[in-house]
Amino acid sequence: MSVVLLAHGDGGLLTRELVDGLFLKYFNNPLLQQLSDAAVFNSPGGRMAMTTDAFVVDPIFFPGGDIGKLAVCGTINDLAVSGARPRYITASFTIEEGFALADLEKVVASMAEACTEAGVDVVAGDTKVVPRGHLDKLFITTTGVGMVPEKLDWGYHRPVPGDVVLVNGSLGNHGLTILAARENLGLDGALASDCAPLNNTINLLQKHCSGIKMMRDLTRGGLATAAKEIAEGCGLDIRLREYALPIDAAVRGAAEILGLDPLYLANEGKFLVIIDPAQVTKALDILKQSSYGRDSQVIGQICAGSGNVYLQTPLGGTKILGLLAGQPLPRIC
Amino acid sequence: MSVLKKLNDPQLGRQMVKIVKEQAARVAERLGRAVRLMEVCGTHTMAISSTGLRGLLSGLMELRSGPGCPVCVTAAGDIEQMIAISRVPGVTVATFGDMVRVPGVLSSLERERARGARVQIVYSPADAVALARDNPAREVVFLGVGFETTAPLAALSINEAAQLGLSNFSVYSIHKLVPPVMRALLGAGEARVDGLILPGHVCAVTGSKAFAFIGEEYGIPAVVTGFTMVDILDALHVLLNKMQTGDSRVVNGYRWVVRDEGNLQAQGAIKDCFYPGDAIWRGFGVINNSGLFIKEHLARYDAMRKFGLDTLERVGGLDLPMPEVDSVGGAGQCASCNESPRDPMGSLSVAGGFVSDGGAVTQPVGIAGGKMEAVGNRFTVDDAAEPRGCRCGELLRGIITPPDCALFGRKCTPASPVGPCMVSSEGACAAYYRYGATTTLVPGVERLKG
């Protein structure tokens, strides 16, 4: 008997199998087929984007954020990397009986703070309480809508060989912070989640750089999985330079100890930009002066090919990066 | 520049690659073939793949993986026994992450967890003790998988459980020792390697002296080294030098971590808690005195005794020799029957009636599929129950590389692994799959603007 495994929800190969083999089979339509961060569609009032996301993070409070901040930022960022200006979100709370009201208030206050920073409102919601033991403390589902500028054209059809790949800062912080907090690894202090609403930074970049071809946020599966999906979606190769990848010393050290690869760890405040090489300098200037792009870096290039991601190592060797396969697990020896 | 920075210095690394390539070319020319070295340790396997070194040295040097991944060498039977234990009501299995996805014959701990078993990933044996302390109503069984590196930690966890007076903690010890498997590997003469990169972490406990026999008895040079690119390149440089001079004495190239005599405190912890006994290794069969089992005076912390499972010693050993290799019929083929070598397993299913005071479980439910032959409370399973076509055993013996297996990257992927070498983060197949088994170099990234 086949059953759902935890790995079906890790954003990697098994998630893709589930989406392709089950959800697309029943929900098939041109908008969903794009499998992008948000669906972009025409409406009488203009072009719109819509996305939804469930948040089940454990622990619900962690260095750098909590489940509430995450629920707002995650949905806003999905809209922003699709080129949309987020306007409204809805929030659905599923709460375990016995959950402390004080903690619930902390979460909601944190959501409100993130909404204020991002300039969005929560305009609808739902609350369900389930008997103790039927779920783990608190799950939040947020849905967001935003407006997409009429002439904006981002997507897999845009990148061409020679385009440059940028990232707005250090990789793997969120994934490792959650892992360390969940497992009490004693790495507190050095690590914090990068959870942040990116729409203002992205909108600024969008306003001044017409050469942006597409963006992706680097959540589950990390940079490597997103790069692989883009390469396959575009039908081109991506070549990344390992020494150019921004990774904090604390993340690099902890990941090394645990036998994890920061390139496959989740981020919640990072996005990848593919841009015309003529606008790279301008884009970096804008990003480095923004709230969430100070450590932005050029990390690679789009090349002719057939959907591979190559990582050039500091030794001059080359390795191939694929989708995340199975949850990242710690070494045992 | 700090020592650690220097060991990861790309410029130094590139200079060393150039030197090693020149050296390897000279030695390869003399041999009339590529130099063949073996990295024994899974962490080295991953480091070699992740630095792109395998591709850089392609054509001049072949780096084969050995039996140094503890997950990979765990026999399918032991995994089935762990699965059986996970099905016992009231049991929480605490395990290192990699073991969760390793397929047994019919299932894996990951699948059992999805069906309701309590399987908890831990990062050290001490976490498992804490789990037992915090959940007194449950029996916490720690799956003790690993080599000399992790065995002392398991020993300390048993001591800690004893100090806390816990009666609901036990260890299923299938810890294994590296020197005996190296003897088995070299004694079989299948791998035909020119030199060995020895595991730095294991040697930190055993000492480099524990591997002196490699040079003395088999005449093969070996270097103990660390895990940075400079460490590994230095080991390659030393091995190539030794091949040229004919010197086969073991070299400790990891002196700031490894002492010749090893870590006596860790060795003492192992001796206090474990005794060496015969153990089954995937791909090798039974290797004498290669496993670590919990001593009699600590029986209450021994999951094997608690669950009524027999060690090979208690059933008088099993006649499971290493398969003979037919040099014509292809590596790893059994010369007598022309079948792939068996992966012997011992398996016992247990269910219901768990007695938390150390009483044995007496209700075997049996595992369907595969003909099982009982020997005491162990079983062997016929080849039909083994993954058809899986060549992890030959891989672990250094006879093949992952791309030589027909399942690699097709039927066997990290998302749907057939054999353990694709599951483990230290496994050779996972390393090749994750970082590409490139034998030709892709042109480098062009100079970028901006």
Side-chain angles (χ1 to χ4, degrees):
Chain A
M1 179 187 68
S2 288
V3 291
V4 174
L5 305 174
L6 278 173
H8 280 106
D10 65 13
L13 276 167
L14 283 184
T15 305
R16 180 185 279 197
E17 279 177 26
L18 197 64
V19 170
D20 290 350
L22 179 65
F23 298 131
L24 276 176
K25 190 168 96 180
Y26 288 95
F27 301 141
N28 205 357
N29 63 68
L31 281 176
L32 188 63
Q33 271 174 5
Q34 293 170 28
L35 296 179
S36 49
D37 289 307
V40 177
F41 52 93
N42 291 320
S43 75
R47 288 176 78 210
M48 289 182 73
M50 185 177 185
T51 188
T52 189
D53 215 334
F55 297 86
V56 297
V57 66
D58 172 42
I60 57 173
F61 299 103
F62 47 84
D66 57 50
I67 192 171
K69 184 181 182 184
L70 201 60
V72 171
C73 296
T75 289
I76 283 172
N77 296 346
D78 277 346
L79 292 171
V81 294
S82 304
R85 304 233 157 100
R87 294 281 292 272
Y88 303 114
I89 63 172
T90 68
S92 166
F93 296 83
T94 312
I95 311 162
E96 183 186 21
E97 176 190 29
F99 186 68
L101 275 169
D103 284 344
L104 186 60
E105 185 167 358
K106 267 170 77 176
V107 168
V108 174
S110 167
M111 288 176 80
E113 195 181 332
C115 286
T116 302
E117 183 183 350
V120 298
D121 291 316
V122 176
V123 293
D126 184 40
T127 307
K128 293 282 189 297
V129 179
V130 298
R132 199 180 186 108
H134 283 225
L135 70 78
D136 186 18
K137 297 186 274 297
L138 172 68
F139 294 168
I140 302 174
T141 301
T142 50
T143 300
V145 293
M147 302 308 294
V148 182
E150 273 316 310
K151 289 184 179 169
L152 188 120
D153 182 23
W154 291 356
Y156 291 137
H157 60 288
R158 292 289 318 281
V160 294
D163 283 347
V164 171
V165 183
L166 303 178
V167 71
N168 69 314
S170 63
L171 301 164
N173 299 54
H174 178 76
L176 207 56
T177 301
I178 295 298
L179 190 68
R182 185 183 300 161
E183 310 296 346
N184 291 314
L185 296 181
L187 300 170
D188 314 353
L191 296 169
S193 167
D194 58 346
C195 178
L198 299 168
N199 57 318
N200 294 329
T201 299
I202 289 172
N203 292 342
L204 194 68
L205 197 61
Q206 183 186 317
K207 193 174 160 186
H208 295 287
C209 293
S210 57
I212 294 171
K213 307 293 183 73
M214 68 173 293
M215 286 193 195
R216 277 294 301 273
D217 67 343
L218 307 177
T219 51
R220 283 179 312 175
L223 170 77
T225 300
K228 178 65 179 170
E229 285 173 353
I230 292 168
E232 286 182 348
C234 301
L236 297 165
D237 285 352
I238 296 180
R239 297 198 190 154
L240 302 173
R241 297 177 303 180
E242 193 166 25
Y243 54 89
L245 299 175
I247 299 168
D248 288 349
V251 170
R252 192 183 292 281
E256 207 164 284
I257 289 166
L258 295 167
L260 301 172
D261 187 341
L263 302 194
Y264 286 91
L265 291 173
N267 308 274
E268 287 294 345
K270 295 297 176 307
F271 59 94
L272 178 149
V273 186
I274 296 176
I275 188 167
D276 187 306
Q279 291 204 321
V280 169
T281 310
K282 190 178 181 184
L284 281 175
D285 286 346
I286 292 164
L287 280 169
K288 284 177 183 286
Q289 287 172 48
S290 67
S291 310
Y292 301 115
R294 288 191 195 92
D295 299 323
S296 295
Q297 290 265 24
V298 169
I299 59 167
Q301 191 174 44
I302 302 290
C303 305
S306 55
N308 290 310
V309 179
Y310 297 108
L311 186 68
Q312 189 181 29
T313 72
L315 280 184
T318 306
K319 54 191 179 189
I320 297 172
L321 297 181
L323 298 173
L324 174 69
Q327 290 175 295
L329 294 167
R331 74 168 83 244
I332 80 164
C333 124
Chain B
M1 193 187 280
S2 73
V3 171
L4 202 59
K5 265 209 165 128
K6 196 158 187 174
L7 290 173
N8 283 297
D9 179 23
Q11 203 176 349
L12 178 60
R14 285 194 292 271
Q15 287 168 352
M16 290 176 80
V17 166
K18 190 168 175 282
I19 292 165
V20 166
K21 280 175 91 167
E22 286 166 3
Q23 256 187 310
R26 283 197 298 273
V27 177
E29 191 178 1
R30 187 167 58 80
L31 293 172
R33 59 167 173 81
V35 178
R36 183 183 290 175
L37 303 179
M38 176 184 275
E39 80 274 359
V40 175
C41 175
T43 310
H44 279 142
T45 298
M46 196 47 89
I48 287 164
S49 289
S50 70
T51 51
L53 203 50
R54 224 178 279 283
L56 280 169
L57 298 171
S58 172
L60 299 170
M61 187 185 285
E62 192 187 342
L63 290 158
R64 292 219 163 171
S65 304
C69 156
V71 173
C72 306
V73 295
T74 300
D78 280 317
I79 291 161
E80 282 299 331
Q81 301 217 120
M82 295 171 189
I83 287 166
I85 288 171
S86 78
R87 290 173 179 164
V88 176
V91 164
T92 297
V93 168
T95 174
F96 293 130
D98 279 1
M99 289 306 298
V100 170
R101 302 188 63 234
V102 180
V105 177
L106 295 165
S107 185
S108 67
L109 288 169
E110 183 183 42
R111 292 192 173 278
E112 294 303 313
R113 182 173 64 184
R115 292 184 182 116
R118 295 277 192 95
V119 179
Q120 178 80 39
I121 292 174
V122 294
Y123 292 79
S124 82
D127 293 348
V129 175
L131 201 61
R133 183 198 60 211
D134 298 342
N135 295 276
R138 297 191 68 80
E139 171 74 15
V140 174
V141 181
F142 174 68
L143 302 184
V145 175
F147 297 129
E148 289 90 338
T149 3
T150 46
L153 301 174
L156 293 176
S157 76
I158 288 173
N159 289 341
E160 191 187 353
Q163 281 165 11
L164 292 168
L166 299 180
S167 61
N168 64 327
F169 174 78
S170 56
V171 176
Y172 183 91
S173 175
I174 47 168
H175 292 99
K176 291 179 171 66
L177 301 169
V178 177
V181 77
M182 292 312 296
R183 277 183 191 282
L185 179 100
L186 298 171
E190 295 171 292
R192 298 191 187 94
V193 292
D194 301 313
L196 291 161
I197 300 167
L198 295 174
H201 292 155
V202 167
C203 291
V205 175
T206 63
S208 53
K209 273 184 184 169
F211 292 90
F213 71 90
I214 292 172
E216 291 163 4
E217 295 175 31
Y218 300 99
I220 296 172
V223 178
V224 180
T225 195
F227 301 90
T228 66
M229 60 184 172
V230 170
D231 280 327
I232 294 168
L233 284 161
D234 184 54
L236 298 179
H237 174 59
V238 171
L239 283 172
L240 288 164
N241 269 346
K242 285 176 150 290
M243 285 179 69
Q244 287 171 296
T245 59
D247 175 11
S248 59
R249 280 171 301 178
V250 71
V251 172
N252 180 0
Y254 201 26
R255 288 211 163 271
W256 53 95
V257 174
V258 174
R259 292 199 297 265
D260 291 350
E261 70 281 8
N263 182 330
L264 300 178
Q265 203 178 351
Q267 290 170 26
I270 292 174
K271 280 183 186 136
D272 289 346
C273 182
F274 299 109
Y275 68 89
D278 300 348
I280 302 175
W281 294 61
R282 186 184 287 264
F284 290 84
V286 177
I287 300 176
N288 294 343
N289 291 324
S290 65
L292 290 174
F293 302 96
I294 294 170
K295 284 184 168 173
E296 187 77 42
H297 72 280
L298 296 166
R300 60 197 295 232
Y301 302 108
D302 181 3
M304 286 190 185
R305 288 184 177 94
K306 246 180 178 176
F307 288 83
L309 307 172
D310 287 326
T311 62
L312 292 182
E313 181 197 51
R314 287 201 283 270
V315 297
L318 293 174
D319 183 22
L320 297 166
M322 272 186 67
E324 288 175 49
V325 175
D326 178 358
S327 57
V328 181
Q333 295 277 296
C334 175
S336 56
C337 59
N338 207 29
E339 286 179 356
S340 292
R342 292 179 181 210
D343 185 347
M345 67 173 276
S347 181
L348 174 71
S349 248
V350 286
F354 175 69
V355 185
S356 63
D357 63 358
V361 177
T362 55
Q363 278 187 283
V365 296
I367 294 171
K371 268 165 52 188
M372 295 197 291
E373 181 193 346
V375 185
N377 263 359
R378 294 191 77 92
F379 293 88
T380 57
V381 170
D382 72 357
D383 287 339
E386 288 300 319
R388 196 173 293 281
C390 173
R391 297 179 73 184
C392 280
E394 293 161 83
L395 185 78
L396 293 164
R397 299 205 301 280
I399 300 166
I400 62 165
T401 59
D404 295 329
C405 176
L407 304 186
F408 175 77
R410 297 176 183 90
K411 193 181 167 191
C412 183
T413 65
S416 179
V418 175
C421 300
M422 186 58 91
V423 176
S424 171
S425 59
E426 311 274 310
C429 295
Y432 273 67
Y433 187 93
R434 188 162 138 192
Y435 295 122
T438 46
T439 50
T440 52
L441 278 183
V442 178
V445 179
E446 296 150 40
R447 191 159 182 78
L448 296 171
K449 295 172 188 171

